[in-house]
Amino acid sequence: MSINDPAHADRPEPVRFDEHGIEPIPAGSRDSTPWQQFWIWCGANIAPINWVLGALGVTLGLSLVETLAVVALGNLVGCAVFGLFNVIGHRTGVNQMVLGRGPFGRRGAIVPGLIQGLLTMGWVGVNTWVVLDLVIAILARLGVHGGTGTRYLVAGLIMAAQLVLALYGFYAIRTFEKYTVPATVVVMLIMTGLALAQADPNWTAATATTSADKFTAVTQLLTAIGIGWGISWLPYSADYSRFVRTTASDRSVFWSTALGMYVPTVWLAALGACLASAGSGTDPSGLVAESFGIMAVPILLLIMHGPVATNILNLYSCSLAALSVGIRIARWKLTLVAGIVASAVLAVFVQADSFARAFDHWMVSILVWISPWAAIVLVDFFVLRRGRIDVAALYRDGGVNVRALVSLAFGLLAGWAWQFGTVPALQGPIARTLGNTDFSWLSGGLVAGGLYFVLARGARGRAAHAAVPAERVSR
């Protein structure tokens, strides 16, 4: 049969095993489309945590209108920055942690690479644990009752599914999201309609009555699900956009990835806020079990899809982060190790629920490192290098760019100083002094990015000045 035969053309293409590590993706292997990138990021963010975080605005004292405005406007900024990082991956064909070698140097990039690798393993356990209560609540509604054994069974099924997909690599991830996310979107549409039909949202009621209280709530919500949400995904971005075909435009990559992040995040957060304002509570198990009735089975599938769609990115990016720090084994083997470690973490969580909640809060708090790191990468690529980088230089032996690490250290300090999270030790003095406000993402990014720009420009100026006498002598 000819390959031009229509029947042959309609056959689904077999999913290839992803043998790529952290080397630049060759043009022949870059066959992903911007639309496929949209589904990848949409799938990763159709997750129960987003409607819980949306309900946070009402819990903090904002009205429903105020909550929706903060979520919608804040994500415009966070998702736009996320889109820019995807453009960097598309231009270079290089994964995100290797791109970090540009400003930090090959050895200097080991520090953020280690942080990213460790955090992604932790997130796999956290994300799987978060949905277990939801699944058990819906199973009980369907007449299936069980205790710890059922939790272990559900957790094992979810972990096995996401590990297999991550082991197979990018092409399996792309195919999974391509075929499952549109179906989950349909379920989400129906779920949203049913939930809002039963709810009676209160649009203007707010418990934060003073301007100071409202301002504090706005800053905390911006960090949790507004600007901070898109920023939290930045270390993952180029890992996937590096596969986008070379003929795609930067603009199409930007919009597909930014909207893939923006649409589900704002949608689910708005749903959670509406239900919370109607007095349905903020507990995710209650929101699902009480609001969706006959949709229990589709919602169950949606909820189990959430951690899989998110964690396959965590496991895949974890292996790339490990490779970027110098570990030299096959990517799939590193993914397997990450999955085993994450499974052990999850087993501990199932046994110790209070520890799991404390660990979750700690994980959220230490995301403060991403903003200063991201600001340095953005300044280096778009400002100092004018959007171009010597890809081959990223893979040559290199040392440490002290200027970048110093900037990162000061950015971390500035971010911590204006952070107000749930972990007391990570609540900074500026945040506490200014009414428990949280501008950690802004203070960390501005200090790190601004300081790196000044130091890097100064070093370039001194190097250019030192080169002038040598040029005159040669003449």
Side-chain angles (χ1 to χ4, degrees):
M1 180 181 292
S2 168
I3 60 173
N4 294 321
D5 183 80
H8 184 276
D10 290 338
R11 290 182 180 177
E13 182 181 352
V15 178
R16 309 192 302 277
F17 180 78
D18 178 9
E19 297 180 353
H20 301 291
I22 58 172
E23 72 283 354
I25 304 299
S29 298
R30 297 179 60 177
D31 59 356
S32 180
T33 65
W35 187 240
Q36 290 168 346
Q37 294 287 309
F38 173 86
W39 289 125
I40 288 174
W41 294 112
C42 190
N45 289 280
I46 298 181
I49 185 62
N50 281 348
W51 75 62
V52 177
L53 289 175
L56 178 64
V58 176
T59 304
L60 290 171
L62 297 176
S63 70
L64 176 57
V65 171
E66 291 164 341
T67 298
L68 295 181
V70 171
V71 170
L73 296 176
N75 273 281
L76 286 176
V77 178
C79 295
V81 177
F82 177 75
L84 287 177
F85 268 73
N86 278 277
V87 169
I88 301 175
H90 173 244
R91 285 188 183 179
T92 60
V94 177
N95 69 292
Q96 195 60 64
M97 286 297 110
V98 170
L99 283 170
R101 294 174 179 176
F104 288 94
R106 182 160 182 169
R107 291 187 178 89
I110 290 176
V111 175
L114 284 173
I115 295 173
Q116 171 67 356
L118 293 173
L119 285 179
T120 47
M121 284 190 289
W123 279 123
V124 173
V126 167
N127 291 335
T128 307
W129 165 78
V130 163
V131 302
L132 290 180
D133 284 341
L134 287 165
V135 173
I136 297 302
I138 295 178
L139 287 175
R141 191 178 184 87
L142 295 173
V144 179
H145 300 277
T148 302
T150 304
R151 289 167 65 89
Y152 273 118
L153 176 61
V154 172
L157 290 173
I158 294 175
M159 187 64 74
Q162 58 201 20
L163 184 55
V164 168
L165 288 166
L167 283 171
Y168 218 65
F170 171 78
Y171 302 109
I173 293 171
R174 175 182 65 182
T175 301
F176 174 80
E177 306 286 19
K178 173 184 176 181
Y179 288 106
T180 62
V181 176
T184 61
V185 169
V186 173
V187 175
M188 274 295 304
L189 284 169
I190 299 173
M191 183 184 84
T192 301
L194 285 173
L196 295 181
Q198 298 180 42
D200 185 17
N202 191 326
W203 294 91
T204 57
T207 57
T209 56
T210 68
S211 299
D213 288 342
K214 285 185 180 294
F215 184 71
T216 295
V218 166
T219 66
Q220 293 181 7
L221 187 61
L222 279 175
T223 299
I225 190 65
I227 294 173
W229 188 257
I231 291 175
S232 70
W233 280 104
L234 297 181
Y236 302 76
S237 50
D239 295 354
Y240 307 90
S241 62
R242 64 184 181 143
F243 285 94
V244 175
R245 60 191 182 192
T246 58
T247 55
S249 67
D250 286 347
R251 178 176 296 181
S252 66
V253 173
F254 173 85
W255 283 110
S256 61
T257 53
L259 289 175
M261 181 73 62
Y262 185 87
V263 172
T265 301
V266 174
W267 178 4
L268 267 70
L271 175 60
C274 287
L275 293 175
S277 73
S280 301
T282 59
D283 176 70
S285 301
L287 289 177
V288 174
E290 294 173 12
S291 301
F292 306 132
I294 60 173
M295 285 290 292
V297 172
I299 296 302
L300 176 63
L301 297 177
L302 170 68
I303 290 169
M304 294 184 70
H305 172 273
V308 174
T310 302
N311 284 338
I312 52 180
L313 305 189
N314 275 308
L315 289 168
Y316 183 74
S317 288
C318 178
S319 64
L320 297 182
L323 289 172
S324 74
V325 304
I327 298 176
R328 299 189 178 185
I329 62 175
R331 178 203 57 78
W332 70 268
K333 294 179 181 178
L334 284 171
T335 304
L336 181 60
V337 171
I340 293 172
V341 173
S343 298
V345 171
L346 178 59
V348 173
F349 287 175
V350 172
Q351 287 290 340
D353 192 68
S354 60
F355 172 76
R357 294 185 189 280
F359 186 83
D360 184 21
H361 294 160
W362 179 77
M363 290 275 285
V364 171
S365 296
I366 62 175
L367 287 178
V368 71
W369 77 275
I370 295 178
S371 178
W373 168 84
I376 292 169
V377 173
L378 278 178
V379 168
D380 184 77
F381 186 83
F382 285 108
V383 179
L384 299 175
R385 300 180 189 268
R386 305 296 178 86
R388 294 291 181 266
I389 195 170
D390 181 1
V391 171
L394 299 174
Y395 296 87
R396 291 197 289 266
D397 288 336
V400 175
N401 185 345
V402 176
R403 292 179 294 276
L405 287 179
V406 168
S407 300
L408 178 62
F410 276 95
L412 284 169
L413 182 62
W416 165 77
W418 211 337
Q419 179 185 31
F420 189 83
T422 54
V423 179
L426 295 175
Q427 294 172 356
I430 298 177
R432 293 195 300 268
T433 300
L434 298 180
N436 300 338
T437 54
D438 190 329
F439 275 115
S440 53
W441 54 272
L442 181 61
S443 60
L446 286 179
V447 169
L451 181 58
Y452 179 69
F453 174 78
V454 171
L455 294 178
R457 285 293 295 267
R460 287 188 176 189
R462 289 190 296 272
H465 180 73
V468 172
E471 292 176 0
R472 287 176 178 171
V473 170
S474 64
R475 290 175 181 172

